[in-house]
Amino acid sequence: MKILHTSDWHVGKVLKGQSRADEHKAVLAGVIEIARAEQPDLVIVAGDLYDTAAPSSEATRLVTRALTALRRTGADVVAIGGNHDNGPALDALRPWADAAGITLRGGVRENPDEHLIDGTTAGGERWRLAALPFLSQRYAVRALEMYELTAAETNQTYADHLGRVLGRLTEGFTEPDRVHLVTAHLTVTGAATGGGERDAHTVLGYAVPATVFPATAHYVALGHLHRAQRVAGPCPVRYSGSPLAVDFGEQENIPSVTMVEVTASTAARVREVPVTAASALRTVRGTLAQLAEIEAPDAWLRVYVREQPRAGLREEIQELLPRALEIRIDPELLAAPGSGARIAQRSGRSPRELFADYLDSRGHADEGVRELFDELFEEVEH
């Protein structure tokens, strides 16, 4: 069978105030074209369909249309909720999804069998997919209780909980003539983050070892980390990554989807198919004069300017580089020896003196800013 694995669409993403709706339309159109060309038997969307738990009507329309178009290629389509998604809201779409022939699992259901999806390809290959949406710490414990496993104790870790839930879902992965698959939205220990993930759900006890997945699985399709990568484990474990760079920390990622070919008796063969529709994200740095000389790339820009802060600097840079979304004083400049000044001592100092010390410490030499502070402070005082 052939599988198209994608995740972390983050539809509705706004980057530094810039809507990316048009890019998302183009990216998802690209994913659909790949599906039409590759003709997969199964499409897995491993969570974070949306960027926010309260998506706009436009974002909802784009996601539902994309899922429908993927289904119309002839593939079975399974999508799960991620940490950015609203699980109950996704589950509220299940009547629509069922009618469209799409399997949607927003949150964990009381009956574990609802997370086991069975199918047969046109070529007669039987498959079973264990689909586990994102689980917070609290709901990982609740899932254990629902499935009547050994009671969760206070000293158990998140990895313990996830391992036992996955163990329950994959305990039937024993038939030799069936392809066994897992999809989940989580962080595996040792995997490389892409730069735009939500830190609270990537560290602080949320990482699980790859050993939570059974050796009998033919392929594990993960979402949450935005960099496409294979993870060492007892079976083939892989993140498809996001099909577009979500934030500037991901500018080195290569957006793609993952194609997998596998049978019940042969190992999974994996390849990446690039998705190039979105604008790239790039970082440029230099003095104002240097920035004026560069050939601006066709990308959204983060600019590190090597100038002392002053009023109007941002506007000058935006005039030079209209696609600059983030403009900052170069951290290397601020950290350079001699760039700081003495630390202000509060005792006995006036607000004007303290503010002047702050400007000195930041290398800010614009007298107009000091004068403006004086005017505003005088208004407040009187």
Side-chain angles (χ1 to χ4, degrees), residues 64-145:
T64 53
R65 286 179 176 177
L67 293 174
T68 301
L70 289 169
R71 179 71 180 107
R72 286 176 179 166
T73 66
D76 286 304
V77 177
V78 178
I80 62 172
N83 60 296
H84 281 251
D85 297 316
N86 184 324
L90 282 182
D91 282 330
L93 291 173
R94 282 183 60 173
W96 161 81
D98 292 343
I102 296 163
T103 302
L104 192 58
R105 296 292 182 266
V108 173
R109 313 294 288 186
E110 291 190 11
N111 181 359
D113 290 341
E114 287 202 45
H115 295 278
L116 298 175
I117 299 102
D118 291 331
T120 304
T121 70
E125 190 77 59
R126 296 170 61 236
W127 55 270
R128 169 168 286 183
L129 171 66
L132 182 64
F134 174 75
L135 277 175
S136 67
Q137 295 271 15
R138 178 164 57 105
Y139 281 98
V141 174
R142 182 169 175 264
L144 284 175
E145 294 170 346

Side-chain angles (χ1 to χ4, degrees), residues 296-312:
D298 184 20
W300 298 118
L301 300 179
R302 175 172 61 182
V303 180
Y304 286 150
V305 60
R306 300 187 65 84
E307 300 275 353
Q308 297 299 332
R310 57 180 170 78

Side-chain angles (χ1 to χ4, degrees), residues 213-274:
F213 304 113
T216 51
H218 290 81
Y219 181 75
V220 176
L222 297 181
H224 186 41
L225 302 188
H226 295 176
R227 181 177 299 173
Q229 60 192 292
R230 176 184 176 274
V231 182
C235 56
V237 180
R238 186 172 179 83
Y239 288 95
S240 67
S242 177
L244 81 169
V246 172
D247 209 337
F248 285 105
E250 302 179 16
Q251 62 184 8
E252 301 303 324
N253 294 356
I254 300 174
S256 64
V257 299
T258 298
M259 295 302 307
V260 183
E261 294 182 62
V262 64
T263 73
S265 59
T266 59
R269 292 182 296 158
V270 175
R271 56 190 167 89
E272 295 179 17
V273 181

Side-chain angles (χ1 to χ4, degrees), residues 5-39:
H5 169 202
T6 180
S7 73
D8 296 278
W9 291 355
H10 287 274
V11 174
K13 174 69 177 180
V14 175
L15 179 61
K16 310 300 180 184
Q18 173 66 44
S19 169
R20 306 191 74 188
D22 289 341
E23 290 178 82
H24 266 115
K25 291 175 185 175
V27 163
L28 294 182
V31 173
I32 293 162
E33 283 304 311
I34 292 171
R36 287 174 179 155
E38 294 282 353
Q39 287 295 294

Side-chain angles (χ1 to χ4, degrees), residues 326-350:
E326 181 178 345
I327 300 171
R328 298 172 55 190
I329 301 300
D330 194 328
E332 294 179 3
L333 182 66
L334 292 175
S339 63
R342 59 193 174 89
I343 299 174
Q345 299 296 319
R346 290 181 179 274
S347 179
R349 311 291 303 284
S350 71

Side-chain angles (χ1 to χ4, degrees), residues 141-208:
V141 174
R142 182 169 175 264
L144 284 175
E145 294 170 346
M146 287 193 302
Y147 296 172
E148 297 180 349
L149 301 178
T150 305
E153 297 180 358
T154 56
N155 63 345
Q156 286 182 310
T157 66
Y158 181 75
D160 292 330
H161 301 323
L162 261 291
R164 295 169 72 185
V165 171
L166 282 165
R168 171 64 179 86
L169 295 178
T170 61
E171 62 187 11
F173 279 22
T174 56
E175 294 185 35
D177 59 345
R178 187 169 62 186
V179 176
H180 300 121
L181 306 166
V182 176
T183 185
H185 192 88
L186 46 75
T187 303
V188 174
T189 305
T193 59
E197 302 86 357
R198 183 173 292 173
D199 288 343
H201 292 149
T202 305
V203 294
L204 300 177
Y206 269 90
V208 303

Side-chain angles (χ1 to χ4, degrees), residues 351-353 355 368-378:
R352 290 186 177 89
E353 291 173 322
F355 185 67
V369 174
R370 299 171 193 251
E371 292 171 4
L372 179 59
F373 177 85
D374 289 344
E375 291 177 16
L376 293 173
F377 184 70
E378 189 171 336

